[in-house]
Amino acid sequence: MPTSTVENYVKQIYLQQQSRAADLLPMGQLAAAMNVVPGTATAMVKTLAESGLVEYEPRGGIRLTEGGARLALHVLRRHRIIEAFLVDVLGLDWSQVHEEAELLEHVVSDKVLDRMDALLNHPQYDPHGDPIPTSQGDIAEQAILPLMSCKSGDQAIVARVSDQDPEFLQYIERHGLVPGTQINVSSLNTLADSVEVRLPKDKTVVLGSNAAAKILVRPHIAG
Amino acid sequence: MPTSTVENYVKQIYLQQQSRAADLLPMGQLAAAMNVVPGTATAMVKTLAESGLVEYEPRGGIRLTEGGARLALHVLRRHRIIEAFLVDVLGLDWSQVHEEAELLEHVVSDKVLDRMDALLNHPQYDPHGDPIPTSQGDIAEQAILPLMSCKSGDQAIVARVSDQDPEFLQYIERHGLVPGTQINVSSLNTLADSVEVRLPKDKTVVLGSNAAAKILVRPHIAG
DNA sequence: GTAGATGTTTTGAGTAATCAAAATAGTATG
DNA sequence: CATACTATTTTGATTACTCAAAACATCTAC
């Protein structure tokens, strides 16, 4: 049985490997993501390698094995179903559920998870818009793009807000940019480094490119 | 922040102190309840005493402080609300939820717990019939009654055997009627002046009213 | 009142995870 | 190519928890 710590490392390696395109994840990257000093990450990675969860190339970096990826997706499934459950069944705010899920993901049994999943009607996406892996470990690869890559006039649906900072999430929520929201890129100006989007009810929000980079959208082809 | 282990020790001390009437809980009792070797319990109790959660009398035993009891009741509240939630909302079997709750009780936040509590309509008893402490730490004190005052079909826990006669005590022990044992009043006949109780493992014992009068129990209200 | 039996504490050691700081490798700069 | 910079690894310690087994108290019995 993997410890919570092992699960967290493997999950984080998976997530980091997603965002960075490179094959090998550098040690420092992992240490930063896990909020530990580099030496700790090195030590931990060695034991992960012993258990066959990662391949470790000293001074090069790490990569998940088949088994490591399977575990990562398993943890991710737990995390995301729990988030969905906390929002949809317990009525918590989607900007606050990440921390909770971070702890719960290591202790809910498969039985409980299945009940949650059933009660939610087997959702495909969590409240942040992240895809939920199946129990077999399949995950929906989705064509989602950063908001800044849209053109003026494009329609899209907010797919994901890729940041966990509660303050940012709350800001996003106050302005109605939650995942699932249909938006309209009313003007996008690369020179002014900003984008204005129109939301339902004719509200508008202006974001700088740094903020906009965290907003990922599924482009909506207007019928 | 107390660790899960500390919470478990404190909870267990509370529960053991309930069933045994004595003021001081002997070390061996705690070690057995926690499933650790005696030395481990001794070591742990010392750190609990350092944190002001228990009073420790070497070679005598332990007793919860005010603060220790508060923590114990807090954990117990979590445990029991979670059990109720797993049964009533997620539809699990009441016989299976204890293990789950054992893990979850250390990680659910107050916010989540409050939502569960509200969703369940502030239940007073968990699925096993144990009273749920309030968030202020008040708990319904369960009356201790003579076994003969039960009705057929009642569930109860042996609370005390109020007799000092070694022969009687040994008889009681041989038949598994020690304090803490969960019993089921299978038939109680005032005319025949006897009561039959069913124990775990489907053993049964028949006692006359004189003997039964010495057995004090805490009735278990289901639901 | 010495001799066991029983229960408790101490001692020594191990595991999992962490940090601080010294050592080392690799890469880039002059 | 030596020098310096950066990333990584090693080393030595620490914390929280645990066990096995030796040492020690306490109570009981003879």
Side-chain angles (χ1 to χ4, degrees):
Chain A
M1 255 252 158
T3 64
S4 298
T5 309
V6 166
E7 289 191 346
N8 279 332
Y9 272 88
V10 167
K11 179 184 65 176
Q12 206 52 247
I13 293 167
Y14 180 92
L15 291 173
Q16 293 297 313
Q17 230 167 16
Q18 290 282 295
S19 18
R20 338 250 142 200
D23 176 43
L24 279 175
L25 177 65
M27 228 46 182
Q29 220 67 60
L30 176 59
M34 290 300 297
N35 257 300
V36 295
V37 299
T40 302
T42 300
M44 198 60 208
V45 157
K46 281 185 185 173
T47 82
L48 294 180
E50 296 250 306
S51 336
L53 293 169
V54 307
E55 283 169 39
Y56 171 42
E57 301 191 1
R59 296 214 133 83
I62 52 186
R63 142 187 347 110
L64 286 178
T65 62
E66 189 64 24
R70 208 175 321 123
L71 177 57
L73 286 167
H74 201 217
V75 177
L76 230 43
R77 171 175 167 78
R78 283 156 180 266
H79 182 97
R80 292 178 177 169
I81 286 181
I82 290 164
E83 281 193 343
F85 185 83
L86 292 177
V87 170
D88 291 354
V89 175
L90 289 186
L92 296 193
D93 195 299
W94 73 283
S95 66
Q96 306 173 321
V97 295
H98 180 73
E99 315 291 309
E100 306 271 0
E102 206 64 21
L103 296 175
L104 288 165
E105 69 189 8
H106 306 297
V107 297
V108 296
S109 71
D110 283 346
K111 196 178 298 171
V112 169
L113 202 80
D114 286 350
R115 296 300 180 128
M116 290 180 170
D117 189 41
L119 217 74
L120 292 164
N121 243 300
H122 312 288
Q124 287 189 279
Y125 296 93
D126 79 1
H128 298 95
D130 293 314
I132 299 174
T134 67
S135 48
Q136 281 75 45
D138 302 319
I139 186 165
E141 269 318 320
Q142 45 177 4
I144 54 173
L145 304 166
L147 177 52
M148 281 306 275
S149 71
C150 290
K151 296 187 302 290
S152 260
D154 275 2
Q155 279 202 80
I157 288 177
V158 178
R160 184 156 150 199
V161 181
S162 67
D163 197 286
Q164 300 298 351
D165 174 31
E167 251 190 276
F168 181 69
L169 292 177
Q170 272 161 27
Y171 178 88
I172 287 300
E173 184 167 31
R174 263 205 311 285
H175 291 79
L177 271 170
V178 297
T181 309
Q182 196 153 6
I183 64 170
N184 217 298
V185 181
S186 46
S187 80
L188 184 142
N189 192 326
T190 43
L191 292 174
D193 193 42
S194 73
V195 55
E196 182 183 89
V197 302
R198 194 165 61 251
L199 306 170
K201 283 168 141 191
D202 275 336
K203 281 184 182 172
T204 61
V205 185
V206 179
L207 295 170
S209 65
N210 284 339
K214 297 172 183 166
I215 312 287
L216 302 179
V217 301
R218 265 198 302 279
H220 194 275
I221 301 100
Chain B
M1 255 256 153
T3 64
S4 298
T5 308
V6 166
E7 290 191 345
N8 281 331
Y9 271 89
V10 168
K11 179 184 64 176
Q12 206 52 245
I13 293 167
Y14 181 91
L15 291 174
Q16 292 298 313
Q17 230 167 14
Q18 289 285 295
S19 15
R20 335 253 143 199
D23 177 42
L24 280 174
L25 177 65
M27 230 44 183
Q29 219 67 59
L30 175 59
M34 290 300 298
N35 256 300
V36 295
V37 300
T40 301
T42 300
M44 197 61 208
V45 157
K46 282 185 184 173
T47 83
L48 294 181
E50 296 251 304
S51 333
L53 294 168
V54 306
E55 282 168 40
Y56 171 42
E57 301 190 1
R59 295 215 134 82
I62 52 185
R63 142 189 344 113
L64 286 177
T65 62
E66 188 62 27
R70 208 175 322 122
L71 177 56
L73 286 166
H74 201 216
V75 176
L76 229 45
R77 172 174 167 79
R78 285 157 180 268
H79 183 97
R80 292 177 177 169
I81 286 181
I82 290 165
E83 281 193 344
F85 185 83
L86 292 177
V87 170
D88 291 354
V89 175
L90 289 186
L92 297 191
D93 194 298
W94 72 278
S95 64
Q96 307 174 321
V97 297
H98 180 74
E99 316 288 309
E100 307 270 0
E102 206 64 19
L103 296 175
L104 288 165
E105 69 189 8
H106 307 294
V107 298
V108 296
S109 71
D110 284 346
K111 196 178 300 171
V112 169
L113 202 80
D114 285 349
R115 296 300 179 127
M116 290 179 171
D117 188 40
L119 216 75
L120 292 164
N121 244 301
H122 313 288
Q124 287 189 279
Y125 296 93
D126 80 1
H128 298 95
D130 294 312
I132 298 174
T134 68
S135 49
Q136 280 75 45
D138 301 319
I139 186 166
E141 264 322 318
Q142 294 171 292
I144 294 181
L145 304 167
L147 177 52
M148 281 308 274
S149 70
C150 289
K151 295 190 300 293
S152 259
D154 277 2
Q155 279 201 82
I157 288 178
V158 179
R160 194 181 308 164
V161 181
S162 68
D163 196 289
Q164 300 301 346
D165 175 29
E167 251 191 283
F168 181 69
L169 291 179
Q170 271 160 30
Y171 178 88
I172 287 301
E173 187 164 27
R174 259 205 313 286
H175 289 79
L177 270 172
V178 297
T181 308
Q182 195 155 6
I183 64 170
N184 216 300
V185 181
S186 44
S187 79
L188 186 142
N189 193 326
T190 42
L191 292 174
D193 191 41
S194 75
V195 54
E196 180 182 89
V197 301
R198 193 162 61 250
L199 307 170
K201 282 169 136 191
D202 274 336
K203 281 183 181 173
T204 59
V205 184
V206 179
L207 296 169
S209 65
N210 284 339
K214 300 171 182 167
I215 312 282
L216 301 179
V217 300
R218 267 201 312 280
H220 237 220
I221 301 101

